[in-house]
């Protein structure tokens, strides 16, 4: 089976990987360089942030993130020489209003990844001695991990480009689907080239709404800008991830600390704003005052594919017999990515599915249309 995938962010890359490893022939397209949009810009926490604030359907996919990435890293690293750096740092959450909810969530779902405990100040200092004195307690998730997402993307792209079943086309804009009798015959690029395949997948993230008019659907996915900041500290200096008021600190193994993130509805504008960066900086040093002693080495912004509930669209698109969806992951594309791709592979190849696919159905697009 020949499958064309439009979009080479984490969703498109993982979908290509799942299908190529099953023997499918893959042609992968991206409008820019592969892996350079929201997937590269994100933080890489392998859990929904405050999972109790999200529909359970989001957590049903996110729960597989660490396990599936560990499996892929073991398979890809010998070929690519790139380690994703899955870093089990644990996380401290300082939002007092979430303490009881988080502890109750742990009891209800019994997901080992979401195991948490309440810490008083002395315990907190033992877990992370750099936390500001203003925080006298926290809830601690010892098993939460993060992934070095630029390395993940580099490894996926390197692996797929050498894969005998895969062809990658970068800097190509797919302009339209050529449809006859509810069947896509080919896709057409902006310079008039046609590509044929048996099945087609839309994995275009924040740009997915651009298909609405041609497919006569309402696709309620739009870009939400998130800004980030990167500090450089000594290696293994910050022992845990930290979270307060939706702002987070994510330590990497080499001492980089990723800080974010903002949310702004400003279309496809990816320029960082000074005011937002100042807000992020203030939130970071509020949690860990000593960060003020270290240099900021990078600042950037990315575009999240916002969808109404954060539940992605995964499955066959309405009214067409060979077009599939894997988009709309909003803030959780990296942690839902591996299970989303596996679910779509299972649907396309008519295999048993790891979760009930109905919750992710594209029939929701039809209703919105």
């Amino acid at each position: 089976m020949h499958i064309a995938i439009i979009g080479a962010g984490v969703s498109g890359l993982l979908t290509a990987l799942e299908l190529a490893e099953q023997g499918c022939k893959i042609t992968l397209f991206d409008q820019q360089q592969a892996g350079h949009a929201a997937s590269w810009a994100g933080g890489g926490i392998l859990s929904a942030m405050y999972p109790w604030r999200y529909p359970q359907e989001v957590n049903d996919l996110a729960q597989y993130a660490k396990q599936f990435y560990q499996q892929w890293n073991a398979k890809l690293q010998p070929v690519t020489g790139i380690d994703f750096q899955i870093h089990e740092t644990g996380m401290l959450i300082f939002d007092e209003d979430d303490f009881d909810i988080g502890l109750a969530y742990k009891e209800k779902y019994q997901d080992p990844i979401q195991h948490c405990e309440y810490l008083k100040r002395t315990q907190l200092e033992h877990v992370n001695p750099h936390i500001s004195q203003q925080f006298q307690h926290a809830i601690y998730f010892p098993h939460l991990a993060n992934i070095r997402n630029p390395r993940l993307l580099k490894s996926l792209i390197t692996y797929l480009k050498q894969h005998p079943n895969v062809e990658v086309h970068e800097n190509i804009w797919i302009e339209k689907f050529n449809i006859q009798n509810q069947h896509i015959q080919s896709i057409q690029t902006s310079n008039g080239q046609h590509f044929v395949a048996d099945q087609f997948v839309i994995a275009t993230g924040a740009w997915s709404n651009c298909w609405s008019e041609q497919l006569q659907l309402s696709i309620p996915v739009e870009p939400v800008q998130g800004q980030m900041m990167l500090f450089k500290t000594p290696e293994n200096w910050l022992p845990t991830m930290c979270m307060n008021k939706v702002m987070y600190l994510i330590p990497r193994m080499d001492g980089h600390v990723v800080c974010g993130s903002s949310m702004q509805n400003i279309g496809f504008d990816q320029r960082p704003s000074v005011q937002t960066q100042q807000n992020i900086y203030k939130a970071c040093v509020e949690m860990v005052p000593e960060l003020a002693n270290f240099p900021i080495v990078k600042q950037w912004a990315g575009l999240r594919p916002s969808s109404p509930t954060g539940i992605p669209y995964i499955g066959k698109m309405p009214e067409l017999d060979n077009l599939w969806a894997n988009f709309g992951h909003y803030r959780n594309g990296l942690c839902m990515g591996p299970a989303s791709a596996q679910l779509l592979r299972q649907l396309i190849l008519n295999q048993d599915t790891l979760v009930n696919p109905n919750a992710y159905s594209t029939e929701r697009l039809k209703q919105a249309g």
Side-chain angles (χ1 to χ4, degrees):
M1 187 188 295
H2 181 192
I3 301 168
I5 300 170
I6 307 166
V10 73
S11 295
L13 292 166
L14 286 167
T15 301
L17 181 60
E18 282 282 353
L19 290 161
E21 293 290 290
Q22 297 272 318
C24 298
K25 181 185 174 188
I26 304 298
T27 310
L28 183 61
F29 299 89
D30 201 87
Q31 64 182 6
Q32 52 185 318
Q33 199 177 341
H36 269 253
S39 308
W40 179 90
I45 301 171
L46 297 184
S47 164
M49 297 187 303
Y50 313 98
W52 46 90
R53 297 186 187 182
Y54 286 92
Q56 190 53 34
E57 291 85 354
V58 169
N59 296 309
D60 286 345
L61 294 176
Q63 67 179 325
Y64 293 101
K66 187 163 84 169
Q67 171 195 342
F68 283 6
Y69 279 130
Q70 286 169 335
Q71 291 168 3
W72 281 126
N73 200 27
K75 185 177 180 78
L76 271 58
Q77 189 178 350
V79 178
T80 67
I82 300 164
D83 178 10
F84 302 172
Q85 293 190 354
I86 299 162
H87 193 19
E88 192 172 296
T89 57
M91 177 182 279
L92 292 165
I93 292 183
F94 303 117
D95 303 74
E96 293 181 345
D97 290 348
D98 286 279
F99 288 1
D100 289 344
I101 306 166
L103 292 162
Y105 183 90
K106 173 198 78 167
E107 293 300 328
K108 182 176 178 182
Y109 290 102
Q110 297 292 315
D111 176 0
I113 296 289
Q114 300 300 344
H115 170 79
C116 64
E117 47 210 60
Y118 173 78
L119 302 186
K120 293 181 179 174
R121 180 70 205 184
T122 50
Q123 298 165 298
L124 181 51
E125 287 176 0
H126 181 72
V127 168
N128 189 332
H130 303 294
I131 302 303
S132 167
Q133 280 295 330
Q134 72 166 291
F135 299 111
Q136 290 300 304
H137 52 178
I139 50 174
Y140 176 46
F141 294 76
H143 304 304
L144 287 189
N146 67 77
I147 194 168
R148 193 94 178 243
N149 42 304
R151 286 174 173 260
L152 162 70
L153 294 159
K154 193 175 177 185
S155 180
L156 289 170
I157 293 159
T158 302
Y159 186 82
L160 289 168
K161 283 185 174 178
Q162 60 80 47
H163 200 292
N165 295 349
V166 180
E167 200 175 279
V168 180
H169 297 270
E170 296 173 283
N171 302 302
I172 287 184
W173 181 272
I174 303 299
E175 195 165 72
K176 67 182 237 183
F177 297 107
N178 295 307
I179 303 168
Q180 275 186 333
N181 302 322
Q182 279 78 53
H183 187 85
I184 296 174
Q185 305 291 336
S186 66
I187 47 177
Q188 187 175 321
T189 68
S190 53
N191 62 4
Q193 277 183 286
H194 288 257
F195 290 89
V196 297
D198 302 311
Q199 306 287 334
F200 297 83
V201 175
I202 297 173
T204 43
W207 286 263
S208 299
N209 178 259
C210 73
W211 307 110
S212 293
E213 189 177 343
Q214 196 191 155
L215 298 175
Q216 298 180 316
L217 293 168
S218 173
I219 299 178
V221 174
E222 48 191 45
V224 173
Q225 192 208 67
Q227 291 186 208
M228 310 284 277
M229 182 180 288
L230 188 67
F231 286 86
K232 181 66 175 78
T233 73
E235 199 171 304
N236 296 316
W237 178 78
L238 188 67
T240 70
M241 294 185 282
C242 303
M243 181 101 73
N244 188 44
K245 299 174 188 168
V246 199
M247 288 291 186
Y248 51 73
L249 304 176
I250 305 171
R252 306 302 198 199
M253 292 177 182
D254 63 1
H256 282 99
V257 179
V258 180
C259 310
S261 134
S262 61
M263 290 178 66
Q264 285 183 288
N265 290 285
I266 51 173
F268 288 95
D269 188 343
Q270 295 190 62
R271 294 171 299 177
S273 83
V274 173
Q275 181 60 57
T276 303
Q277 293 293 355
Q278 288 172 347
N279 294 344
I280 292 171
Y281 181 85
K282 185 181 173 187
C284 295
V285 296
E286 191 180 347
M287 285 187 273
V288 177
E290 291 170 82
L291 274 175
N293 301 330
F294 299 107
I296 296 167
V297 293
K298 196 166 189 173
Q299 300 176 60
W300 67 92
L303 300 174
R304 304 183 190 90
S306 165
S307 57
T309 60
I311 300 172
Y313 300 92
I314 305 168
K316 191 174 281 185
M317 291 290 279
E319 311 296 340
L320 291 161
D321 63 19
N322 65 337
L323 181 62
W324 302 81
N326 189 5
F327 57 75
H329 295 75
Y330 198 15
R331 303 193 72 162
N332 294 300
L334 281 156
C335 64
M336 285 195 281
S340 295
Q342 188 171 124
L343 175 60
L344 184 60
R345 178 259 289 173
Q346 290 163 342
L347 290 169
I348 291 173
L349 301 182
N350 199 24
Q351 299 167 342
D352 292 340
T353 57
L354 84 164
V355 294
N356 183 340
N358 294 342
Y360 311 97
S361 169
T362 62
E363 291 300 311
R364 293 175 292 152
L365 300 173
K366 205 170 171 182
Q367 290 155 10

